[in-house]
Amino acid sequence: MNPTPAHAGACVPPRFAASCALPYASVSIARMTSTTIESPPYPHLFAPLDLGFTTIRNRVLMGSMHTGLEDRAKDFPRLAAYFAERAAGGVGLIVTGGFSPNLVGWLKPFGGKLSWPWEARPHKFVTKAVHEHGAKICAQLLHAGRYGYHPLTVAPSKLKAPINPFTPRALSVRGIERQISAYANAATLARDAGYDGVEIMGSEGYFINEFTAPRTNKRVDAWGGTPEKRMRFAVEIVRRVREAVGPDFIIIYRLSLLDLVDDGNQWDEIVQQAKAVEAAGATIINSGIGWHEARVPTIVTSVPRAAFVDVTAKLKPHVRVPLVATNRINMPEVAEGILAAGKADMVSLARPLLADPQWAAKARVGTPQAINTCIACNQACLDHVFENKLASCLVNPRACHETDLTYRKTFAPKTVAVVGAGPAGLACATVAAERGHRVTLFDAADEIGGQFNYAKRIPGKEEFHETLRYFRHRLEETRVDMKLSTPATAADLTGFDEVVLATGITPRRVAFPGADHAKVVSYVDVLSGRVKVGARAALIGAGGIGFDVAEYLTHEGRSSSLDPARWMAEWGVDPTFEARGSLVKPQPEPPAREVWLLQRSPGKPGARLGKTSGWVHRATLKAKQVKMLGGVEYLGVDDTGLRIKVDGAEHLLPVDHVVVCAGQEPRRELQADLMAAGKTPHLIGGADVAAELDAKRAIDQGSR
């Protein structure tokens, strides 16, 4: 192999010294503030990155996310609008959702693919839109391998993934060559479509990663058996792509630094791979963290911020190309700290740019308080993708809906009363005020937030504090007239042009003998601190609230979500990253209380939790020794505890408290009074539908 200077490292400045960011064209940034940017508040984050043949304007990389807009050519104008908004918001480099280099590499039937010239043409909408705002963009080439959800899947060996019903076909030597050629062809088409580069997806347990790991590569030919042979496939792809596209084209290689599965790669093998793909022509190496089948969470909200950045730092002395740190980097001070410490050369933000397309612009002018922070809930992004829905964002329903959910200024301002300062009311009030309406927001409580004030107390859900901080800023920014500690009456509201009831919910009461016993309390009593729960507790209701309360009761003191070292010990991640797959024996901390989590319906508790985060909640409670039971009949509560029947057998749970988490009823007392006064209110959020609190629906409904 004879690398050209572009990928031999000759055109990459030594250690990528930081320099002051220069102003770049963006109308949105100019509108935001008159703050001078000669001395930016995050100098490392906004230093240009010189790659020799091109320069990226800052160190913010928008990481790849599949949205559902990639799969049909007719959606590319919408995809262009989605990326354009992030480019206008100041991001330096964007990576698209994954496009397969051929049919067998599909993520799902008829998914995004880039193997024919006519498939490249719609991409020009995207590249043109991004370039108009000064950002650069790379197409991600993602071959699903054994993760493909279709019967045509191929892999290095005939081994079915535990998360997929389809068994892949093992490739022949000739088949391997066809896959390599497909990558080179796709990269050429990406260049023709106007992309600045490609990201070759070599991590997360997808096709290339399957070749590099002994877990999935059982071959004994030239493509398996030793670390050198297992990584040969990845190296050949990078080399052939570089030959196809020439020296002045970005090639990002997404390298799995932590497999987090048994029989994954060891550290010396990962370093060897990094050096080899660098020599083969990679311009940038992006960190890949964890396989999709791993039993260690990597991006959910309970994962500490920047939990995995030290593995990127560990690789830094071994390569000369820029390295990208990733996962749970959601605020500028976190990103700046990583770069200032020399742990990486760029930071990847994926979901944070769903939450706020102006993230970079707000950071650049020193207004982080204005950022709509990603809370890593997965409810509208990853969960939607796995349900074959269009992705969006719980805290920003405009994400992927930029062309149909627009907040244009009104030509007919109204006076609007919004009653209730929970998520639905906050979204409604601030969007209405942004559009030019004169909004008054009432709440009987002395602080905004509604049910979010309970959610933020759950260990692992500390990010909810950020959403409330954002809304406090938005209320001030949009000049909403706030009336806290003010229970609204119908008489207070009849003078407004429009009235919106976002009054939330009332916890549902239970009906069984002893339901009025002193032991029986509501989850609101517990999470508000009004009741101190004893050493043993039974929770009635195993939906999202029940799981949250169980986590709250089994933890004591500072959450491990705020302490990466404790979190890694709990989940069995090797802090030195030397073990194969970086796995060691988990060391969960003992539970603070003995807890039973009960549900009336038969089956496994938590089955209806989010697809991408529910397993984490179940595993967490299992580690905390929570006893989870379905098909429970509640016989009654007395001084001895809670009597139940399961599978025909009666049991006494000798608990100190019974915490009711069994759903909610909409709170609509004002509706009848308003109707009687001739005023028809709008119902949103829990006041509209109270079934299992749904902040995603509440914020979307309030915004719309």
Side-chain angles (χ1 to χ4, degrees):
M1 294 181 287
N2 297 305
T4 67
H7 52 82
C11 59
V12 180
R15 297 284 33 106
F16 323 105
S19 60
C20 285
L22 298 176
Y24 50 85
S26 174
V27 173
S28 55
I29 293 173
R31 282 203 306 263
M32 284 185 57
T33 180
S34 59
T35 302
T36 58
I37 56 175
E38 284 75 15
S39 299
Y42 306 106
H44 297 84
L45 188 57
F46 292 98
L49 181 61
D50 186 356
L51 300 177
F53 59 89
T54 192
T55 298
I56 301 170
R57 64 187 178 186
N58 58 46
R59 306 303 177 98
V60 181
L61 181 148
M62 179 179 174
S64 175
M65 291 173 288
H66 198 80
T67 66
L69 293 172
E70 301 88 353
D71 298 329
R72 298 184 299 180
K74 71 176 186 179
D75 287 331
F76 271 68
R78 294 177 66 188
L79 186 64
Y82 161 74
F83 283 128
E85 195 157 302
R86 276 82 192 158
V91 70
L93 176 63
I94 291 170
V95 179
T96 70
F99 292 94
S100 171
N102 57 19
L103 188 144
V104 296
W106 265 340
L107 277 168
K108 62 180 182 180
F110 308 104
K113 183 167 72 71
L114 192 54
S115 59
W116 297 103
W118 56 85
E119 291 173 329
R121 290 176 196 133
H123 288 258
K124 293 181 180 180
F125 285 110
V126 171
T127 55
K128 182 175 183 292
V130 169
H131 290 151
E132 285 177 349
H133 294 287
K136 299 189 184 299
I137 184 166
C138 294
Q140 188 187 75
L141 305 183
L142 188 157
H143 190 305
R146 71 177 192 158
Y147 283 167
Y149 205 81
H150 55 85
L152 304 177
T153 56
V154 296
S157 302
K158 187 179 179 180
L159 296 170
K160 188 177 80 69
I163 59 174
N164 195 345
F166 297 101
T167 300
R169 173 174 54 86
L171 283 166
S172 65
V173 172
R174 184 176 296 179
I176 289 173
E177 169 58 33
R178 284 197 294 269
Q179 305 307 310
I180 296 171
S181 297
Y183 275 95
N185 175 62
T188 302
L189 292 172
R191 178 158 196 159
D192 293 343
Y195 285 103
D196 301 285
V198 293
E199 178 176 79
I200 297 170
M201 179 49 139
S203 68
E204 265 82 350
Y206 289 112
F207 188 48
I208 298 175
N209 205 173
E210 291 162 18
F211 268 89
T212 65
R215 176 184 179 88
T216 42
N217 186 343
K218 305 300 183 183
R219 303 177 74 97
V220 292
D221 60 3
W223 302 95
T226 67
E228 293 77 17
K229 290 179 179 178
R230 291 199 308 270
M231 75 180 187
R232 180 186 169 196
F233 184 65
V235 175
E236 281 298 299
I237 288 171
V238 175
R239 184 182 68 81
R240 291 275 287 278
V241 167
R242 177 56 72 195
E243 286 179 353
V245 298
D248 58 343
F249 194 68
I250 299 170
I251 298 178
I252 306 171
Y253 185 77
R254 183 84 165 265
L255 174 64
S256 184
L257 301 189
L258 295 176
D259 289 337
L260 299 178
V261 291
D262 292 329
D263 220 9
N265 284 286
Q266 279 186 306
W267 181 250
D268 58 344
E269 297 168 353
I270 292 165
V271 172
Q272 192 177 3
Q273 291 172 33
K275 290 179 175 179
V277 297
E278 176 184 33
T283 319
I284 296 170
I285 293 178
N286 195 358
S287 301
I289 307 295
W291 289 31
H292 288 308
E293 63 203 72
R295 294 293 89 186
V296 176
T298 57
I299 60 172
V300 297
T301 191
S302 59
V303 177
R305 290 181 177 182
F308 304 107
V309 69
D310 284 343
V311 73
T312 306
K314 188 179 176 74
L315 182 62
K316 205 146 185 332
H318 299 284
V319 295
R320 294 198 295 167
V321 294
L323 294 182
V324 184
T326 189
N327 285 45
R328 292 289 286 120
I329 301 167
N330 64 350
M331 287 299 282
E333 63 270 20
V334 179
E336 177 71 12
I338 292 166
L339 298 170
K343 294 185 175 184
D345 305 293
M346 295 190 80
V347 288
S348 174
L349 286 74
R351 295 170 302 164
L353 288 160
L354 275 179
D356 196 333
Q358 291 279 320
W359 190 99
K362 293 173 180 178
R364 188 168 184 266
V365 297
T367 57
Q369 70 274 15
I371 290 174
N372 193 4
T373 304
C374 169
I375 60 174
C377 67
N378 290 353
Q379 291 180 35
C381 49
L382 287 176
D383 283 355
H384 275 208
V385 169
F386 280 102
E387 294 165 2
N388 281 320
K389 298 177 182 177
L390 187 65
S392 189
C393 177
L394 181 146
V395 298
N396 175 28
R398 286 197 69 248
C400 302
H401 293 275
E402 289 77 12
T403 59
D404 61 83
L405 183 54
T406 55
Y407 302 155
R408 295 188 179 92
K409 286 289 184 182
T410 181
F411 292 105
K414 295 182 177 182
T415 58
V416 179
V418 179
V419 185
L426 292 169
C428 181
T430 53
V431 170
E434 178 185 348
R435 295 193 59 230
H437 297 294
R438 296 184 294 277
V439 181
T440 303
L441 178 61
F442 296 86
D443 200 292
D446 60 1
E447 62 177 338
I448 68 167
Q451 295 284 318
F452 267 28
N453 287 313
Y454 303 129
K456 71 186 183 185
R457 296 183 171 95
I458 307 302
K461 289 194 171 182
E462 293 81 7
E463 295 290 5
F464 282 74
H465 284 278
E466 298 286 7
T467 304
L468 296 180
R469 179 264 309 149
Y470 165 75
F471 272 120
R472 280 191 289 271
H473 175 82
R474 285 284 289 151
L475 290 167
E476 181 179 345
E477 183 180 51
T478 57
R479 299 181 180 178
V480 171
D481 183 15
M482 286 289 299
K483 294 190 180 298
L484 296 178
S485 303
T486 307
T489 66
D492 297 324
L493 304 174
T494 52
F496 288 88
D497 296 326
E498 301 286 350
V499 177
V500 180
L501 295 185
T503 41
I505 56 87
T506 299
R508 183 178 295 144
R509 299 179 63 86
V510 291
F512 51 68
D516 57 351
H517 194 281
K519 288 179 182 282
V520 181
V521 297
S522 164
Y523 73 89
V524 172
D525 298 318
V526 174
L527 296 180
S528 66
R530 289 196 294 267
V531 171
K532 177 68 174 177
V533 175
R536 293 175 294 188
L539 311 185
I540 293 179
I545 295 173
F547 269 77
D548 278 353
V549 174
E551 293 212 29
Y552 178 80
L553 292 177
T554 53
H555 286 74
E556 199 84 291
R558 181 176 168 85
S559 167
S560 63
S561 297
L562 304 175
D563 186 338
R566 284 173 54 212
W567 182 88
M568 285 190 174
E570 284 193 337
W571 285 95
V573 179
D574 176 12
T576 71
F577 312 118
E578 295 284 347
R580 185 166 290 283
S582 288
L583 293 179
V584 292
K585 185 178 179 181
Q587 297 177 311
E589 297 175 354
R593 292 175 180 82
E594 187 177 8
V595 172
W596 286 263
L597 182 60
L598 313 173
Q599 70 179 26
R600 191 183 300 275
S601 58
K604 182 172 65 175
R608 292 193 295 272
L609 297 177
K611 188 174 181 66
T612 60
S613 57
W615 69 270
V616 181
H617 298 304
R618 290 189 292 270
T620 300
L621 295 193
K622 183 178 179 181
K624 292 294 186 183
Q625 302 168 37
V626 173
K627 293 169 277 292
M628 294 178 264
L629 300 174
V632 176
E633 181 183 349
Y634 305 109
L635 302 179
V637 176
D638 56 30
D639 291 344
T640 61
L642 171 65
R643 290 179 294 109
I644 63 172
K645 182 184 287 187
V646 181
D647 295 331
E650 293 191 15
H651 305 271
L652 172 66
L653 306 184
V655 296
D656 303 297
H657 284 94
V658 176
V659 184
V660 179
C661 311
Q664 306 77 222
E665 302 290 346
R667 190 174 181 181
R668 302 173 180 163
E669 295 92 339
L670 274 172
Q671 184 182 24
D673 292 344
L674 285 166
M675 297 287 283
K679 201 79 176 173
T680 302
H682 306 271
L683 296 175
I684 63 171
D688 179 34
V689 179
E692 196 59 55
L693 293 177
D694 188 347
K696 176 182 69 174
R697 177 178 52 79
I699 293 176
D700 181 79
Q701 193 177 26
S703 300
R704 290 177 183 276

